[in-house]
Amino acid sequence: MKNNTQYPIHNTQYRKARKAFTLMELLIVVAITTILASVGISSYVNHQRAKLLDTSAQEIVGYLRYAQQKSIGQEGGNQWGIHFENPTDGDDFYALYTGTSYTSPEETRYLSSGIEYESPTAGNSIDVSFNKLTGNSATSTTQSITIKSTVTNSTTTISISGQGLISY
């Protein structure tokens, strides 16, 4: 009869040696992790770019409502408005002004990098002025400001109705 004591020792030694990963297994895990990380990062970056357009629209709407509230409150005894300008050279901006038309800004804000006006078109401007007490738009027609992302080519339009309703 054979002595079987060798086999369990041999099997145990084999199992101990087999506990490590091979180089090929490690490379496969690293490759899969890299692919998943790159997909996740690109998805996150695209989401951030889309969020930038929405955030810019929210800031403009907030600024329009700020001017509207100043007109309703007749701050300084004047009506207030926002001037949107898309210069042919330089950065697109919007500026708070007082009075019936834009002559000089009270405050100026620039659009974020990667965001630009589609309307007003290059070299043009749009003034949105609000009547005192009512907050209605000084024009009876609906005015629109369209901003676009230069990275994603998506757009958002902000509308100001004759009744002063601001939406996007």
Side-chain angles (χ1 to χ4, degrees):
M1 183 161 185
K2 279 184 158 187
N3 186 355
N4 288 333
T5 57
Q6 288 181 16
Y7 295 112
I9 293 172
H10 177 67
N11 286 341
T12 306
Q13 288 174 345
Y14 177 73
R15 279 189 221 132
K16 285 183 181 176
R18 184 70 183 131
K19 285 186 179 180
F21 292 107
T22 65
L23 179 62
M24 185 59 75
E25 290 170 331
L26 286 173
L27 289 175
I28 290 171
V29 168
V30 168
I32 291 171
T33 303
T34 303
I35 290 168
L36 290 174
S38 62
V39 167
I41 289 170
S42 69
S43 175
Y44 175 75
V45 167
N46 288 336
H47 175 73
Q48 288 300 96
R49 289 176 181 162
K51 191 70 177 161
L52 178 63
L53 181 65
D54 188 52
T55 301
S56 296
Q58 288 176 2
E59 287 175 5
I60 291 170
V61 166
Y63 211 51
L64 283 162
R65 290 184 176 142
Y66 176 65
Q68 187 179 38
Q69 289 303 313
K70 284 177 151 301
S71 286
I72 291 170
Q74 300 180 56
E75 188 171 312
N78 295 316
Q79 67 184 54
W80 292 79
I82 304 291
H83 173 78
F84 297 92
E85 187 155 338
N86 185 352
T88 52
D89 57 343
D91 296 328
D92 297 355
F93 69 91
Y94 51 103
L96 178 70
Y97 68 90
T98 182
T100 56
S101 62
Y102 176 76
T103 54
S104 64
E106 295 289 320
E107 296 175 20
T108 302
R109 295 187 180 180
Y110 292 89
L111 293 179
S112 300
S113 178
I115 304 294
E116 63 184 28
Y117 290 123
E118 191 169 274
S119 171
T121 56
N124 292 307
S125 64
I126 296 174
D127 290 339
V128 178
S129 185
F130 298 100
N131 292 328
K132 294 189 283 185
L133 290 177
T134 64
N136 293 344
S137 176
T139 63
S140 58
T141 61
T142 298
Q143 293 177 288
S144 297
I145 308 298
T146 303
I147 56 174
K148 73 175 181 177
S149 169
T150 58
V151 178
T152 62
N153 280 332
S154 53
T155 62
T156 297
T157 300
I158 301 163
S159 299
I160 305 94
S161 72
Q163 294 79 29
L165 178 64
I166 303 165
S167 61
Y168 76 100

